[in-house]
Amino acid sequence: MNYWNKEIETIGRDRLEAFQAERLQETLAAAFKTEFYRKRFASIGIGSPSDVKGLEGFRKLPFTSKDDLRVGYPYGLLAEPLENVVRLHASSGTTGTPTV
């Protein structure tokens, strides 16, 4: 069998869950750089990435809707300063309202 990344693709369940939790924390840390997500998370009682623990914490996270993307257009959801952005993908959308 061919693997792209054998270590990750054949990882045991305990290590997989730890790896997923680590990556979730990294993603949440990036999201907390935005005012949008800080407010969204605060509205459901999440004050920092460390407040999200395990699968139950993950289940509490809100979805980001297409309307959220439209309202944030073009730079409202950036987690990095604009000067660090190399590429930005957008769609004109079926409603004619651009979506990043």
Side-chain angles (χ1 to χ4, degrees), residues 13-64:
R13 184 68 165 176
D14 290 342
R15 287 190 57 220
L16 174 62
E17 289 178 5
F19 180 72
Q20 290 171 329
E22 179 183 320
R23 290 296 173 95
L24 175 60
Q25 289 300 308
E26 291 172 7
T27 300
L28 289 171
F32 266 88
K33 292 179 182 180
T34 70
E35 182 179 354
F36 171 82
Y37 282 111
R38 282 192 306 274
K39 286 181 179 178
R40 174 70 59 91
F41 293 149
S43 74
I44 59 170
I46 297 173
S48 73
S50 63
D51 291 340
V52 179
K53 295 185 183 359
L55 189 55
E56 287 309 310
F58 180 76
R59 287 183 175 132
K60 294 177 185 176
L61 295 176
F63 285 98
T64 301

Side-chain angles (χ1 to χ4, degrees), residues 5-17 19:
N5 184 330
K6 186 174 182 176
E7 180 182 359
I8 296 299
E9 293 177 50
T10 60
I11 197 169
R13 184 68 165 176
D14 290 342
R15 287 190 57 220
L16 174 62
E17 289 178 5
F19 180 72

